[in-house]
Amino acid sequence: MSTSRAPRIDWLLMLAVVGLVTIGTLLVWSATSARDDLTGGDPTAFLRKQVVNVAIGVVLLLVVIAADHRWVRLVAPLVYLASIAGLVLVLVMGTTVNGSKSWLMVGGMSIQPAEFAKLAVVIGMALVLAERAAGQWRARVGLTDVVLMLVVAGVPAVLIILQPDLGTMLVLSATVFGVLGVSGAPRRWLLLLAGGVVTAAVAAVSAGLLKPYQVDRFLAFTNPDLDPQGAGYNVEQARIAIGSGGLFGKGLFDGSQTRSGFVPEQHTDFIFTVAGEELGLVGAGLMIALLGIVLWRALLIAQRTDDVFGRVAAAGIACWFGFQAFQNIGMCLGIMPVTGVPLPFVSYGGSSMFAGMLAVGLLQNIHLRTTTPAPTRYVMAERRPVRLVGSR
């Protein structure tokens, strides 16, 4: 049997990511090519930037794939600490964009540490459970384990809510909930956690931690007609753009809503509206199908791996990608409140692309070191399947 890693790479996962990145780059180009206010008259400005983002992301992905799994476990705490340091730096010297102090300017590049915090929380929680499991295939989760994992997630969560970055906080909360569920935490604890999150959200609103525009977005979500020219404007224009695309769309670069710039932040948070208008139901459905393949392969990797760290990390990444995609597409369709979260691998932005590619690299790394069991063979005896001695 070949020991080469290449044949064992999950090529279906890779092809799905390549498809999403390719479609996303074209959509970013289409959303910005006619916007002189964004490009300064250069229609290919954002295309070139996104290609650079993708290239850097691919390098990061390959580095993680090539890394020895023991090295990955060793570096995991450093990644977590680095993300915490980045979140602290944002609060101290960050740049405010769209009401949130979420960005660090490094040279000519803007970095959003909260994007990396999602991956850091996933691997941090996985590492805690793996260390407590001490080599067992399945850890027995107790109160101490849950508390430790919540502490790992709680530190970056507090720093993110102080920015305040409500969208990332929602994604992080869903990811933590999913990781705890996969790890085997008792259901009653999950229910208590859900109640605690709701209570904390109410307290944050009452204490004035959220900006007025963020509260207005939630009010507009409950009633889009409440302020159609203000808080409800984004959703209203997004629906018009998606609805005008029909079955096959108006064609790439031919969307009237997109070319006219009616939908704000269309190359980032509302990139799905470009797909809906220019590629139609078929094109947007293809994009959702590719996202579904990524989630399917991540969950399959989690199911097949033979160690606790890999299983929890892969499942956590699936929870992260799944909820973030649902939140992004949902707000474009008006079934979720408007929050600033990118569509994984599709929206413009370096931080989101880098964090996503690192996560895919980790999935592949876990997949490569998974011992795939030989097919199980059965014989029938007394009408029950009996496993033959020597089969795995």
Side-chain angles (χ1 to χ4, degrees), residues 235-255:
V235 175
E236 191 69 24
Q237 294 301 319
R239 285 175 168 175
I240 293 173
I242 294 173
S244 65
L247 185 60
F248 297 105
K250 299 177 179 178
L252 201 61
F253 301 100
D254 288 331

Side-chain angles (χ1 to χ4, degrees), residues 182-252:
V182 169
S183 66
R187 291 181 181 178
R188 63 181 182 277
W189 294 354
L190 296 178
L191 291 175
L192 286 173
L193 177 62
V197 170
V198 173
T199 303
V202 173
V205 174
S206 302
L209 292 179
L210 299 183
K211 302 289 185 181
Y213 78 89
Q214 292 174 319
V215 177
D216 291 342
R217 284 178 176 179
F218 273 96
L219 294 176
F221 166 65
T222 59
N223 183 9
D225 297 326
L226 184 65
D227 187 12
Q229 296 302 317
Y233 176 81
N234 290 19
V235 175
E236 191 69 24
Q237 294 301 319
R239 285 175 168 175
I240 293 173
I242 294 173
S244 65
L247 185 60
F248 297 105
K250 299 177 179 178
L252 201 61

Side-chain angles (χ1 to χ4, degrees), residues 324-335:
Q324 184 163 318
F326 177 78
Q327 167 63 30
N328 180 278
I329 295 173
M331 73 179 184
C332 293
L333 298 175
I335 61 174

Side-chain angles (χ1 to χ4, degrees), residues 15-272:
L15 289 174
V17 171
V18 169
L20 287 169
V21 168
T22 302
I23 294 173
T25 302
L26 291 174
L27 294 179
V28 167
W29 186 15
S30 177
T32 58
S33 60
R35 296 288 304 277
D36 291 343
D37 56 321
L38 294 175
T39 64
D42 181 359
T44 62
F46 277 81
L47 171 64
R48 294 198 305 272
K49 292 178 181 178
Q50 187 68 346
V51 169
V52 171
N53 290 336
V54 172
I56 296 174
V58 169
V59 171
L60 294 174
L61 180 148
L62 294 176
V63 168
V64 178
I65 289 178
D68 185 271
H69 72 276
R70 291 169 295 184
W71 183 85
V72 172
R73 290 277 292 269
L74 182 65
V75 171
L78 300 179
V79 172
Y80 178 81
L81 293 175
S83 72
I84 297 297
L87 292 173
V88 172
L89 283 176
V90 159
L91 295 176
V92 174
M93 52 184 293
T95 301
T96 301
V97 178
N98 293 332
S100 295
K101 197 173 185 180
S102 305
W103 301 86
L104 282 175
M105 301 304 297
V106 181
M109 180 179 293
S110 57
I111 298 176
Q112 190 176 11
E115 289 296 325
F116 300 98
K118 300 169 188 175
L119 178 59
V121 166
V122 168
I123 62 177
M125 295 177 72
L127 190 61
V128 166
L129 199 60
E131 292 299 320
R132 300 277 297 178
Q136 303 174 40
W137 185 86
R138 178 175 290 276
R140 188 171 184 177
V141 180
L143 179 60
T144 302
D145 304 302
V146 173
V147 171
L148 287 174
M149 287 192 287
L150 289 179
V151 169
V152 167
V155 175
V158 170
L159 295 173
I160 288 171
I161 201 66
L162 289 176
Q163 294 180 6
D165 187 345
L166 184 59
T168 300
M169 189 60 205
L170 287 175
V171 174
L172 196 63
S173 299
T175 302
V176 170
F177 194 85
V179 169
L180 288 173
V182 169
S183 66
R187 291 181 181 178
R188 63 181 182 277
W189 294 354
L190 296 178
L191 291 175
L192 286 173
L193 177 62
V197 170
V198 173
T199 303
V202 173
V205 174
S206 302
L209 292 179
L210 299 183
K211 302 289 185 181
Y213 78 89
Q214 292 174 319
V215 177
D216 291 342
R217 284 178 176 179
F218 273 96
L219 294 176
F221 166 65
T222 59
N223 183 9
D225 297 326
L226 184 65
D227 187 12
Q229 296 302 317
Y233 176 81
N234 290 19
V235 175
E236 191 69 24
Q237 294 301 319
R239 285 175 168 175
I240 293 173
I242 294 173
S244 65
L247 185 60
F248 297 105
K250 299 177 179 178
L252 201 61
F253 301 100
D254 288 331
S256 56
Q257 293 289 112
T258 298
R259 305 292 288 180
S260 301
F262 285 121
V263 183
E265 308 297 336
Q266 200 169 14
H267 61 301
T268 54
D269 301 341
F270 285 88
I271 192 73
F272 186 77

Side-chain angles (χ1 to χ4, degrees), residues 208-387:
L209 292 179
L210 299 183
K211 302 289 185 181
Y213 78 89
Q214 292 174 319
V215 177
D216 291 342
R217 284 178 176 179
F218 273 96
L219 294 176
F221 166 65
T222 59
N223 183 9
D225 297 326
L226 184 65
D227 187 12
Q229 296 302 317
Y233 176 81
N234 290 19
V235 175
E236 191 69 24
Q237 294 301 319
R239 285 175 168 175
I240 293 173
I242 294 173
S244 65
L247 185 60
F248 297 105
K250 299 177 179 178
L252 201 61
F253 301 100
D254 288 331
S256 56
Q257 293 289 112
T258 298
R259 305 292 288 180
S260 301
F262 285 121
V263 183
E265 308 297 336
Q266 200 169 14
H267 61 301
T268 54
D269 301 341
F270 285 88
I271 192 73
F272 186 77
T273 62
V274 186
E277 181 181 25
E278 298 189 346
L279 305 181
L281 178 63
V282 173
L286 173 62
M287 201 161 63
I288 293 175
L290 291 174
L291 286 165
I293 291 173
V294 172
L295 300 184
W296 166 46
R297 301 310 294 181
L299 291 173
L300 197 60
I301 290 170
Q303 181 186 25
R304 288 177 173 175
T305 189
D306 51 6
D307 80 309
V308 174
F309 175 82
R311 186 172 68 255
V312 176
I317 291 170
C319 293
W320 159 24
F321 286 166
F323 183 81
Q324 184 163 318
F326 177 78
Q327 167 63 30
N328 180 278
I329 295 173
M331 73 179 184
C332 293
L333 298 175
I335 61 174
M336 291 292 285
V338 174
T339 56
V341 295
L343 187 58
F345 308 109
V346 180
S347 293
Y348 172 79
S351 299
S352 175
M353 184 66 69
F354 303 158
M357 288 297 196
L358 285 169
V360 173
L362 181 57
L363 287 174
Q364 293 286 8
N365 188 285
I366 295 168
H367 173 71
L368 288 172
R369 63 185 173 84
T370 296
T371 302
T372 305
T376 304
R377 301 181 300 278
Y378 295 94
V379 294
M380 297 302 296
E382 298 180 358
R383 298 184 180 180
R384 292 185 302 171
V386 178
R387 191 185 295 264

